[in-house]
Amino acid sequence: MNYSYWELKEWFTNIDFTIVGSGIVGLNCALELKKNDPKAKILILEKGMLPQGASTKNAGFACFGSLSEIIDDLNSHTKEEVFNLVNQRWKGVQLLRTNLGDENIDFQQNKGFELCKDQAFFEECISQKEEINQRLKPIFKADVFSISDNNFSFQKVHQQYIVNNFEGQIDTGKMAAELLLKVQKLGVKIVNNISVDGFVETGNQIEVKTDKITFKTTKLFIATNGFASQLLQENVQPARAQVLITKPIKNLHIKGTFHLDKGYYYFRNIDNRILFGGGRNLDFRTEETTEFGETAIIQNELEKILKETILPNTNFEIEHRWSGIMGVGNQKKAIVKQVSENVFCGVRLGGMGIAIGSLVGKELAELLK
């Protein structure tokens, strides 16, 4: 198809900054670029009808790690690295709230709860609780983790659980809509249903090749997270996360965000429903994919845990299922770097997009300074 003079002039000519990906990182990158250069012409390319990766498909946890997750991270990272990870996640959540406002994203701090499979695992975690609380005190100025009795009537788990007193939750859809609105009000253009096939650096410009059109830009920012390997040679593996949600449940008494099995399973309340996701540890190999979809092995296990552990005495129906694509690696720290003279990337959010996406986007834009 030949584009008109008007289309080419308005959308694809004299572009200062092109961002690939309209998720939380890409949109925050655009916000910061506009803040630093209000007159810049910015174009965001999005291959989906809506943000395609995990930004609109996650569970909406404003979290920074359960106690067992932090303990697990200490096995593969230094204490300083783990402290910095938690600090960055906490700072990112606060930036998200500041940028968009709690009411606009329906932010609630109903605390996080970790369910332990047995007493041995519970005691293993609790044995390190005080030390981790002390290490995190410079960030939170109070104890993060405490213990509470199981008053949600969960079954097949230890009857005490570990409470994260600072964990919150948001409405993911509202967050994305508010971010899109804020960016577009600044004059940033977003083109949907367009896939970037590649790019070539020619002198002081980048030639961007898409499935619809080829055009030039001065700088290119790649914010595609789990899809990063399609455009970059970086240590980012895709990780699919499967989710389901129930129909509304009368008198639902469960409130908060909940973690099970080192965070591989997670659930929460939303609109009198239970949203429940995870289980990729059942089949890591199959879930290392950029293909959306659900599998019987994981969906069946989610339903089993929902019926036997979370809602053992409650009738419920599953209304909807979906999946999202995260970007992970052998290190939890996000990759925010200059790839070449005019190409930059902010990827590998490790399933913590709500927590660190705003901060990664801001840091990505600041690479120009």
Side-chain angles (χ1 to χ4, degrees):
M1 181 177 73
N2 289 327
Y3 293 92
S4 73
Y5 168 76
W6 315 111
E7 292 166 333
L8 294 172
K9 177 185 174 184
E10 187 66 22
W11 276 273
F12 297 104
T13 303
N14 298 324
I15 300 168
D16 297 301
F17 309 128
T18 297
I19 300 168
V20 186
S22 71
I24 187 170
V25 174
L27 294 174
N28 274 279
C29 178
L31 283 179
E32 192 67 18
L33 288 170
K34 267 293 186 181
K35 177 182 174 183
N36 297 332
D37 188 356
K39 294 183 179 180
K41 186 172 182 179
I42 300 175
L43 175 66
I44 299 178
L45 304 179
E46 171 55 55
K47 71 176 182 178
M49 182 179 72
L50 299 171
Q52 187 75 8
S55 291
T56 55
K57 297 177 175 65
N58 59 68
F61 280 42
C63 61
F64 47 85
S66 65
L67 182 58
S68 69
E69 286 178 272
I70 292 173
I71 291 170
D72 203 42
D73 285 344
L74 286 167
N75 293 326
S76 55
H77 297 70
T78 66
K79 291 180 179 179
E80 183 180 10
E81 285 173 335
V82 173
F83 176 89
N84 288 336
L85 282 170
V86 173
N87 189 36
Q88 290 294 97
R89 292 164 181 170
W90 182 243
K91 284 170 60 179
V93 170
Q94 304 320 306
L95 181 60
L96 172 69
R97 297 172 63 189
T98 300
N99 278 347
L100 302 183
D102 286 354
E103 186 176 346
N104 291 328
I105 61 176
D106 194 18
F107 176 82
Q108 299 176 32
Q109 203 162 43
N110 296 326
K111 300 184 180 181
F113 304 89
E114 179 162 14
L115 313 184
C116 299
K117 58 185 179 181
D118 52 39
Q119 185 171 348
F121 184 73
F122 174 79
E123 290 178 353
E124 179 187 339
C125 293
I126 292 303
S127 68
Q128 299 186 56
K129 176 175 72 73
E130 289 307 316
E131 180 186 350
I132 290 174
N133 273 339
Q134 286 304 311
R135 287 193 171 276
L136 298 183
K137 198 157 273 188
I139 302 174
F140 297 93
K141 314 303 180 189
D143 284 347
V144 173
F145 299 107
S146 58
I147 301 170
S148 177
D149 291 331
N150 182 354
N151 57 6
F152 291 111
S153 301
F154 298 134
Q155 300 295 315
K156 294 192 172 184
V157 292
H158 185 65
Q159 291 305 297
Q160 286 181 300
Y161 44 59
I162 304 161
V163 182
N164 182 329
N165 294 295
F166 290 88
E167 189 161 302
Q169 60 195 73
I170 68 165
D171 184 310
T172 291
K174 288 182 178 180
M175 175 208 68
E178 190 67 22
L179 256 179
L180 286 164
L181 182 63
K182 189 166 186 173
V183 166
Q184 289 172 314
K185 278 184 176 179
L186 294 176
V188 175
K189 290 182 171 60
I190 302 174
V191 178
N192 291 79
N193 288 317
I194 184 169
S195 295
V196 176
D197 295 328
F199 57 89
V200 178
E201 209 157 356
T202 55
N204 293 325
Q205 285 193 313
I206 304 289
E207 185 177 76
V208 181
K209 299 180 179 181
T210 78
D211 62 343
K212 303 288 195 306
I213 190 172
T214 296
F215 66 94
K216 292 182 179 180
T217 185
T218 304
K219 305 288 183 184
L220 181 66
F221 299 84
I222 297 172
T224 53
N225 195 27
F227 300 92
S229 62
Q230 296 173 353
L231 295 173
L232 299 168
Q233 298 297 316
E234 297 294 336
N235 178 23
V236 186
Q237 288 81 45
R240 183 170 62 190
Q242 299 185 36
V243 186
L244 58 76
I245 193 166
T246 69
K247 290 183 178 180
I249 299 170
K250 286 185 179 180
N251 303 315
L252 183 68
H253 64 286
I254 296 171
K255 186 177 182 181
T257 51
F258 299 84
H259 305 259
L260 181 63
D261 196 4
K262 296 182 180 179
Y264 280 117
Y265 295 96
Y266 43 88
F267 61 97
R268 60 170 288 189
N269 66 297
I270 177 72
D271 299 331
N272 296 314
R273 308 164 185 260
I274 291 293
L275 185 155
F276 185 27
R280 69 185 183 90
N281 55 320
L282 296 174
D283 191 5
F284 278 122
R285 183 64 61 87
T286 300
E287 299 308 299
E288 290 175 358
T289 179
T290 55
E291 297 295 321
F292 293 94
E294 296 76 48
T295 61
I297 185 175
I298 290 177
Q299 290 294 320
N300 289 343
E301 186 66 14
L302 291 178
E303 285 197 46
K304 181 182 177 183
I305 295 173
L306 194 57
K307 183 177 181 178
E308 296 180 359
T309 296
I310 302 170
L311 297 169
N313 302 309
T314 304
N315 292 324
F316 64 87
E317 291 182 69
I318 307 300
E319 182 166 87
H320 189 48
R321 307 171 196 267
W322 70 93
S323 61
I325 310 297
M326 304 178 290
V328 302
N330 56 3
Q331 289 289 303
K332 292 289 185 76
K333 186 178 180 182
I335 299 173
V336 185
K337 63 184 281 190
Q338 185 168 359
V339 178
S340 63
E341 183 68 25
N342 298 302
V343 180
F344 309 82
C345 74
V347 296
R348 197 178 70 186
L349 277 69
M352 286 281 176
I354 295 297
I356 63 171
S358 301
L359 199 59
V360 168
K362 184 174 185 289
E363 290 175 352
L364 177 58
E366 289 174 344
L367 291 174
L368 281 185
K369 292 184 178 180

